[in-house]
Amino acid sequence: MINDLFITGHCHIRDNTVFLNGAVVHEQKGTDFPTFAKSVYQKFGIDYSKFFKMDNLSKLAFLAADLLLKGNNSKEERNIALVLSNRTSSLDTDRRHQESITNKDSYFPSPAVFVYTLPNICMGEISIRHQLHSENAFFIFEKFNAEYLHTYAESLILDKKAEQVLCGWIDVDNEKYEAFLYVVGKSGTFTHSIAQITRLYQNK
Amino acid sequence: MTELKLELKEKIIEQLNLEDVSVDDIADQDPLFGEGLGLDSIDALELIVMLDKDYGIKLADPKEGRKIFESVETMATYITENRSA
């Protein structure tokens, strides 16, 4: 039964480069993350103005998910659960919020920043974009945990909670960022195994 | 008043991250919410913070915002009548 599941696609974004199923599909060196993220948005013709209101974690998750889920329009395919993870939770945005409330004489916290001070908000952004009403979970790990994600995704599909699972790692900490997302389903090129997930992640 | 309206348009674009919107795209009477600029509830909260931070106006009742934030014109009128900063 375990061998019936596959990795149907994977996307890696890091060092201002986007890899889709192992191939470089976009690169823009020498810019900060927001500028790079905008270049990805433009390159792939995304039309979604709310993107520019998102924090960096949500922008990163949104872009990786968008590249993987493009073309997923049938009702059945939209039963896609989300299982994401990272190391720094929403720390990048938490810091911005903290800066705005540190000075008691200039205490003006931004509601638009505050709403992103939870890591799972990025899954909400993906769900809104792709009309997903599915299971979702966000885990905090010290490092990428292929074993845990493998078990969780398999359980969701085998228990018929989802047809597919969008899994992976989304981490943003100041200038450091990395997204590695992959879709688990019943067809695909790679067998869904811990070894395969690890291999794809390390082939970054 | 004209200067204030221009200032408000610039602040709205910058603080609400309205990509691909320029000052010229916003007419003084354009609705800011709904079919106009399409602002949402979080944007409304940001505008309330902006009134406080930049013009020293605290809205005691957030429901007041509905009238005040109808357009740049209504915002400018309210600020002119109530500003302390």
Side-chain angles (χ1 to χ4, degrees), chain A:
Chain A
M1 192 66 176
I2 284 170
N3 288 335
D4 289 344
L5 296 181
F6 296 87
I7 295 168
T8 68
H10 56 101
C11 179
H12 212 140
I13 304 178
R14 62 162 211 146
D15 296 334
N16 285 23
T17 307
V18 181
F19 301 83
L20 189 59
N21 297 320
V24 174
V25 292
H26 181 62
E27 193 173 36
Q28 188 186 70
K29 298 289 186 185
T31 58
D32 61 7
F33 176 74
T35 308
F36 169 68
K38 185 177 175 182
S39 78
V40 179
Y41 176 95
Q42 290 171 332
K43 158 90 179 184
F44 294 99
I46 299 168
D47 184 16
Y48 193 74
S49 59
K50 192 169 183 281
F51 173 79
F52 296 100
K53 294 171 182 281
M54 296 177 194
D55 72 341
N56 288 337
L57 186 68
S58 285
K59 279 182 178 170
L60 184 59
F62 178 94
L63 290 172
D66 223 59
L67 293 176
L68 282 172
L69 301 182
K70 236 176 197 174
N72 257 328
N73 292 321
S74 83
K75 199 174 178 183
E76 185 183 34
E77 282 176 326
R78 279 190 175 153
N79 188 4
I80 306 169
L82 304 175
V83 183
L84 303 185
S85 58
N86 75 6
R87 188 179 71 83
T88 60
S89 184
S90 56
L91 188 61
D92 192 64
T93 299
D94 297 348
R95 285 195 198 100
R96 284 185 62 202
H97 176 61
Q98 188 184 25
E99 280 167 21
S100 71
I101 59 173
T102 302
N103 185 351
K104 282 181 184 169
D105 297 325
S106 177
Y107 188 92
F108 296 106
S110 160
V113 171
F114 180 72
V115 293
Y116 287 101
T117 56
L118 282 173
N120 56 333
I121 300 301
C122 70
M123 296 193 298
E125 297 290 7
I126 295 170
S127 297
I128 293 167
R129 165 70 164 172
H130 298 281
Q131 302 287 302
L132 305 178
H133 303 278
S134 50
E135 295 280 331
N136 65 68
F138 200 109
F139 297 99
I140 311 296
F141 298 125
E142 189 60 37
K143 59 183 183 178
F144 180 68
N145 189 335
E147 190 173 348
Y148 198 95
L149 295 176
H150 175 265
T151 305
Y152 207 96
E154 208 161 80
S155 163
L156 283 169
I157 295 177
L158 297 182
D159 289 345
K160 301 193 187 311
K161 299 283 187 191
E163 287 291 321
Q164 293 180 298
V165 186
L166 177 70
C167 295
W169 180 261
I170 293 283
D171 200 51
V172 177
D173 187 8
N174 282 324
E175 288 302 303
K176 278 178 62 185
Y177 67 89
E178 181 181 28
F180 172 66
L181 295 190
Y182 59 95
V183 179
V184 182
K186 290 176 180 164
S187 63
T189 315
F190 303 107
T191 301
H192 181 236
S193 68
I194 296 166
Q196 191 63 260
I197 296 165
T198 306
R199 189 185 71 75
L200 292 175
Y201 174 67
Q202 289 174 345
N203 265 355
K204 43 191 179 178

